[in-house]
Amino acid sequence: MPEKKVYLLLTDTGTLFTRTIKLYTRKPYNHASISFDEHLTEVYSFGRKCPKNPFIGGFVKENIHAGLLKNASCAIYSLSINETDFNRMQTYIKKIEAEKENYRYNLLGLFAILFKMPFKRENAFFCSQFVASVLKQSESIDLNVPLSFVTPHDLQSVKNFELIYEGKLKDYQKARMIEPNLNKVVSA
C-alpha cells in the first residue's frame, strides 16, 4: 500500500498569550497544527478566530503567510503513514470542519493541564489536543498521553515523526526550493 505524509507544524508566534504559556512550559513551540501536504497549503488547528483576541477560538484553517503565523518561528515534522490512516485523518478533519460551529476552543482544558487534572469537554479542543485527536485516527500511532494532557512538545515525541525544517516559517518555502525533498533538517 502506498505511503502518504502528514505534516506537524509547531510554532511560536511571539504573542503575549504564547509568551505566557512559554513561561509555564519552557518549550520553544506552543502551538500545534497539522497538514496533509508539504506546501502547507491547508493547515488545520484549534486556535484564534480573531487574531487580536486569544479567547475567541475554535476550529481554524490557518494561512502560513498571514496573521499570527506570518512571522512565526517553527519546527516542521513529517510522518509517513498508510493510505487508509491518511484517509481516516482527512475524513475526521472534514467532519469537524463541516460542523465547526459546534466546536469550541478548550481554554479550560489548557488550565487543567497546569493543575494536572484531566478535563474533557465535548466538542472542544486546544491546538495540540486537536492534532493528537487527528493522529489518533491512525491505529499505528501511539501517543502514550491522554488527549487532555497532550502538549505540542509531546507531539514532537511521536514515534517516526521526522524533523524536516526548523526556522522562520516564512522561509520554509525557500528552504524547500534549496532542498526539494527535505529529507534532512534545513535550518533557516
Side-chain angles (χ1 to χ4, degrees):
M1 190 178 280
E3 294 216 327
K4 301 275 195 169
K5 289 205 183 254
V6 173
Y7 297 86
L8 170 66
L9 172 61
L10 301 179
T11 53
D12 174 3
T13 58
T15 64
L16 177 61
F17 192 62
T18 297
R19 289 192 312 265
T20 303
I21 292 171
K22 230 175 174 174
L23 285 173
Y24 172 75
T25 66
R26 305 208 187 294
K27 302 295 181 197
Y29 305 108
N30 289 289
H31 181 67
S33 311
I34 193 164
S35 182
F36 297 101
D37 70 282
E38 67 180 322
H39 305 285
L40 306 178
T41 24
E42 291 192 1
V43 177
Y44 305 96
S45 190
F46 266 67
R48 297 179 188 207
K49 288 186 174 182
C50 303
K52 294 183 183 203
N53 188 338
F55 302 106
I56 299 174
F59 176 83
V60 290
K61 253 178 145 171
E62 297 173 322
N63 180 346
I64 66 167
H65 304 291
L68 297 175
L69 294 179
K70 184 177 181 180
N71 294 309
S73 297
C74 73
I76 301 171
Y77 295 80
S78 70
L79 173 69
S80 294
I81 58 174
N82 65 48
E83 193 168 357
T84 302
D85 286 346
F86 184 86
N87 291 336
R88 247 189 237 125
M89 289 179 188
Q90 283 193 314
T91 300
Y92 179 75
I93 287 178
K94 294 300 179 192
K95 179 184 180 299
I96 290 174
E97 183 176 25
E99 300 170 1
K100 64 184 174 189
E101 66 281 349
N102 297 326
Y103 286 84
R104 302 288 173 257
Y105 187 77
N106 191 5
L107 187 60
L108 295 175
L110 275 183
F111 290 114
I113 288 177
L114 296 173
F115 300 106
K116 297 181 179 13
M117 295 174 19
F119 185 79
K120 184 177 183 322
R121 287 178 60 200
E122 198 67 33
N123 294 343
F125 295 100
F126 47 85
C127 63
S128 52
Q129 184 182 35
F130 167 71
V131 171
S133 73
V134 173
L135 294 173
K136 200 160 176 77
Q137 302 307 302
S138 167
E139 295 173 0
S140 61
I141 297 173
D142 186 13
L143 297 167
N144 294 324
V145 178
L147 290 180
S148 61
F149 287 132
V150 174
T151 66
H153 180 70
D154 294 324
L155 294 170
Q156 289 177 290
S157 306
V158 171
K159 187 178 176 189
N160 298 328
F161 260 126
E162 178 186 352
L163 179 63
I164 60 168
Y165 174 80
E166 188 163 20
K168 286 294 195 180
L169 185 53
K170 65 184 175 187
D171 295 332
Y172 172 64
Q173 299 301 335
K174 288 182 226 166
R176 283 188 56 258
M177 290 168 29
I178 294 167
E179 181 66 41
N181 295 328
L182 282 178
N183 290 330
K184 62 182 180 178
V185 178
V186 178
S187 295

